[in-house]
Amino acid sequence: MSRQIELNQPQQIVVLVLENSQGDILLTQRQAGKHLEGYWEFPGGKVEAPESLLEALERESLEEINYQPINPTLLIKLTHSYPNKTVQLHVYHCLAHNPQVHANEKQAMIWHHKSKLSSVKLPAANLKIINLLNK
Ligand SMILES: Nc1nc2c([nH]c(=O)n2[C@@H]2O[C@H](COP(=O)(O)OP(=O)(O)OP(=O)(O)O)[C@@H](O)[C@H]2O)c(=O)[nH]1
C-alpha cells in the first residue's frame, strides 16, 4: 500500500462519554508529545485488531480510567480529518450514578457539565458530539 493511501485510511478510534447523574462528563487531558497535546478529550483510543469495538472500548476504559463501562450505547460514528491524519470515532455513551474512576496514566481529569463543554479546548472532531449531548 502506498504511503498516500495509508494516510487516507481513517484510524478506528473508540471513545467513552461517561456521564454521571448530575450531567457532568468525564474529560481527560492529552499528554505532552501526542497529537493534539494539551487538549481535553473523552477517554478512548485506537481499536486493535482483532478486537471488536466494544472490546476496545472496555480495554481503553480500564487502561486509562480503571472503569468498566456498563451498558454503553453507540451515540454517533463520525469521521474527521486533521491535517496529519483522519480518524473515525465510534462514540459510546454511558450513564452511571456515581462512577468511580482513576487516572491510571497520571493524566489530568475533570468532570465538566455537558452544557458547558463548548468552553473547553476539545479536538475539532468532538464538536458534533457536544451538540448531540445538548439536544
Ligand atoms: N481518546 C480520544 N481521542 C480522540 C478524541 N477526539 C479525537 O479527535 N481523538 C483523536 O483520536 C486519536 C486517538 O488515538 P490515541 O489516543 O490512541 O493515539 P495517540 O494520538 O495518543 O497516539 P499513540 O497512541 O499512537 O501514541 C487521536 O488522534 C486523537 O486526537 C477524543 O475525544 N478522545
Side-chain angles (χ1 to χ4, degrees), residues 2-39:
S2 78
R3 176 89 180 126
Q4 188 56 44
I5 292 169
E6 276 175 34
L7 285 174
N8 290 339
Q9 290 294 324
Q11 280 182 355
Q12 300 300 309
I13 310 292
V14 285
V15 304
L16 178 67
V17 177
L18 181 58
E19 179 174 347
N20 68 17
S21 48
Q22 283 85 50
D24 298 320
I25 306 281
L26 184 71
L27 299 175
T28 57
Q29 192 168 34
R30 290 188 68 78
Q31 292 176 348
K34 290 201 154 195
H35 179 234
L36 302 179
E37 160 181 350
Y39 279 67

Side-chain angles (χ1 to χ4, degrees), residues 63-123:
E63 274 174 18
E64 293 184 5
I65 58 169
N66 205 35
Y67 182 76
Q68 169 117 36
I70 300 160
N71 298 329
T73 55
L74 185 66
L75 185 67
I76 187 176
K77 182 168 99 172
L78 63 92
T79 303
H80 184 87
S81 290
Y82 293 106
N84 54 344
K85 66 158 99 172
T86 299
V87 291
Q88 180 161 54
L89 301 185
H90 304 265
V91 183
Y92 287 87
H93 179 250
C94 187
L95 193 57
H97 175 60
N98 179 24
Q100 299 299 304
V101 295
H102 175 78
N104 279 346
E105 296 167 348
K106 298 193 167 59
Q107 69 279 39
M109 248 178 12
I110 49 167
W111 287 96
H112 207 87
H113 197 269
K114 59 184 174 185
S115 64
K116 300 205 174 110
L117 287 175
S118 55
S119 63
V120 182
K121 192 176 163 191
L122 295 167

